[in-house]
Amino acid sequence: MSLAFLEWPVRKQLATETNTLNRLRIKVLAYILHLRILSMAILLVFYLSGDYSQQTIRVGALFIISILFYVALSMGLHWKMAIHTAISIFMGILWSNLLLLDNSINLVTLQYAVILIVCAFYGLGNKWGVAYSLLVLSAFIIFSLAGYPIGSNIPLGPAGSNKIAVGLLLINDLIFLILIHYYFFSSFNETIRTLDARTVELTTNLRLQEELQQKQKEELVHQMHLLASISHDIKSPLRFLMITTGRLATSHPDLPTVRAISQSSYRLYNFMKNLLEYTEFRYKNNGITFSYMDLNELVAQKFEIFSAQAVNQSNTLVNEVSPGVIVKSNLQLVGIILHNLIDNANKVTSHGNIIVKVEDHRNELHLIVCDDGQGMSPEIRNWINSQAKVPGPDDNPQSFGMGLLIVKEISTLIRVKLLAVPFEPRGTAIHIIFSKNNPGS
């Protein structure tokens, strides 16, 4: 059976309310209002048909209040305000029955006390339920302290009430209690069933996650073994090839082919070494540790690695970083960034200078790798200066190189910024920017 017609006066409240429990409260409020109007109408007809002038006035007033309440709800009265208003009306009836009109405890007054407390708790929650319950309790305490008689024989209703009328009110209140408990417990049971279904779903997902995590651990172990194998089986032969071809190039400087092989093997070895160090770091480290480092010493170490290659390119390595320039970051990762930038600068420069220097700004320290080579394309500079870790879909990835991709990734990990600008009169300057206000820790 559809009860949609009973929800007509609260259609505006239901249209704006999304909370399931609050929607239930609004619907129950509408059902109870229709029930109250019906019972008041029946009582009014009953009292008008007999000589019950006092009760006719009471019931007539309540009937008119119920109609006004219906109109107010239809016009959009907020459901919380409506429940507060209904409880206030019940509270007025309770206090007036006890202390003004009847000066006695009767069955009707007790019913109002029970209904009032149930409405407060179910309709407004624990806080208001306790508050209104204390007001109800206060009324009975004041009644008792005022010396009004409290006997074992509790009358059915106020003076002038009829057994039929009291019975009708009792049926009305029982229906109200049945309605409110039925709908609220249906909602609670539905919530519990939903939670149970979600619990089963979450348990299944958790089991799948654990299985996936175990597979990932196994894959990680496999990859770490693979990494160790690559380090041993590839890096060592490459290092031997680099050293051998380097000696051949030194012994036979007039052979361009040998010199080209030496340069290629050198670059391949250092690229592989850098890539393996970075990959090993990502696999073996759960967190990044930061410590203080001397930039002059770090630059000197990198220049020593590239000294032979710089000679082959007829380049001069210039360390303009003063001793004692200290920053706090990760030594290994900063070293990888510096290594790649010096290597790239050396590749694109011939018969020129590779300069590493420092600029001390108010809130930042710039470690700058400069070259006077052919210069960097605007697309690559724009990418380096952006927040993107990888080039855009319209860019040619081969023009960016794996080294710069590693540099961009590491800069995010150690919270440093990169800035690529032209180096006058020609070439490129790439800034590694360390923040003084929020250093790595």
Side-chain angles (χ1 to χ4, degrees), residues 32-65:
I32 294 171
L33 176 59
H34 284 86
L35 179 64
R36 175 61 60 174
I37 291 174
L38 178 62
S39 62
M40 289 298 102
I42 294 173
L43 278 177
L44 185 59
V45 171
F46 174 77
Y47 282 131
L48 286 172
S49 63
D51 187 17
Y52 302 100
S53 58
Q54 182 180 0
Q55 294 303 322
T56 301
I57 294 173
R58 285 187 179 184
V59 173
L62 288 175
F63 180 73
I64 293 173
I65 291 173

Side-chain angles (χ1 to χ4, degrees), residues 224-240:
M224 290 182 68
H225 284 302
L226 181 61
L227 181 63
S229 176
I230 292 174
S231 297
H232 180 269
D233 296 341
I234 296 181
K235 196 169 75 171
S236 296
L238 281 177
R239 186 173 182 275
F240 174 77

Side-chain angles (χ1 to χ4, degrees), residues 369-377 381 420-423 426-430:
V369 179
C370 310
D371 67 74
D372 50 11
Q374 62 189 16
M376 183 178 287
S377 70
R381 278 206 313 270
V421 295
F423 181 61
R426 66 188 298 265
T428 304
I430 299 183

Side-chain angles (χ1 to χ4, degrees), residues 170-181:
L170 178 61
I171 293 173
N172 176 88
D173 292 340
L174 287 175
I175 294 175
F176 161 74
L177 292 174
I178 292 170
L179 275 175
I180 199 167
H181 282 88

Side-chain angles (χ1 to χ4, degrees), residues 227-365:
L227 181 63
S229 176
I230 292 174
S231 297
H232 180 269
D233 296 341
I234 296 181
K235 196 169 75 171
S236 296
L238 281 177
R239 186 173 182 275
F240 174 77
L241 178 62
M242 178 192 68
I243 295 173
T244 303
T245 56
R247 289 174 179 173
L248 286 173
T250 303
S251 303
H252 305 280
D254 55 335
L255 297 177
T257 304
V258 174
R259 182 179 177 181
I261 294 174
S262 174
Q263 292 176 353
S264 298
S265 61
Y266 178 87
R267 290 174 181 172
L268 181 60
Y269 170 77
N270 280 283
F271 169 76
M272 185 61 67
K273 179 175 178 294
N274 246 334
L275 182 60
L276 290 174
E277 285 181 357
Y278 171 68
T279 308
E280 185 177 8
F281 178 88
R282 293 302 301 269
Y283 277 127
K284 292 186 177 180
N285 287 271
N286 295 324
I288 299 175
T289 58
F290 292 84
S291 59
Y292 291 99
M293 68 185 75
D294 189 313
L295 291 181
N296 173 270
E297 294 180 0
L298 181 60
V299 173
Q301 292 172 7
K302 295 304 175 182
F303 275 0
E304 185 177 352
I305 295 173
F306 286 99
S307 58
Q309 185 68 17
V311 171
N312 291 335
Q313 292 285 105
S314 300
N315 290 329
T316 302
L317 303 178
V318 183
N319 184 358
E320 293 186 359
V321 181
S322 303
V325 178
I326 306 297
V327 296
K328 187 178 183 182
S329 191
N330 183 275
L331 178 62
Q332 183 181 5
L333 295 183
V334 174
I336 293 175
I337 291 178
L338 192 58
H339 186 109
N340 279 282
L341 294 182
I342 294 174
D343 187 28
N344 286 344
N346 194 53
K347 289 177 185 177
V348 299
T349 306
S350 180
H351 298 85
N353 297 306
I354 312 298
I355 304 170
V356 180
K357 60 182 180 178
V358 164
E359 288 182 1
D360 193 351
H361 298 266
R362 181 176 181 180
N363 297 318
E364 298 173 338
L365 186 74

Side-chain angles (χ1 to χ4, degrees), residues 378-393:
E379 292 79 14
I380 299 179
R381 278 206 313 270
N382 292 337
W383 171 65
I384 291 176
N385 297 336
S386 71
Q387 299 296 322
K389 291 184 179 180
V390 296

Side-chain angles (χ1 to χ4, degrees), residues 127-141:
K127 183 180 71 172
W128 284 109
V130 171
Y132 282 120
S133 297
L134 290 176
L135 286 176
V136 172
L137 182 61
S138 299
F140 283 96
I141 292 175

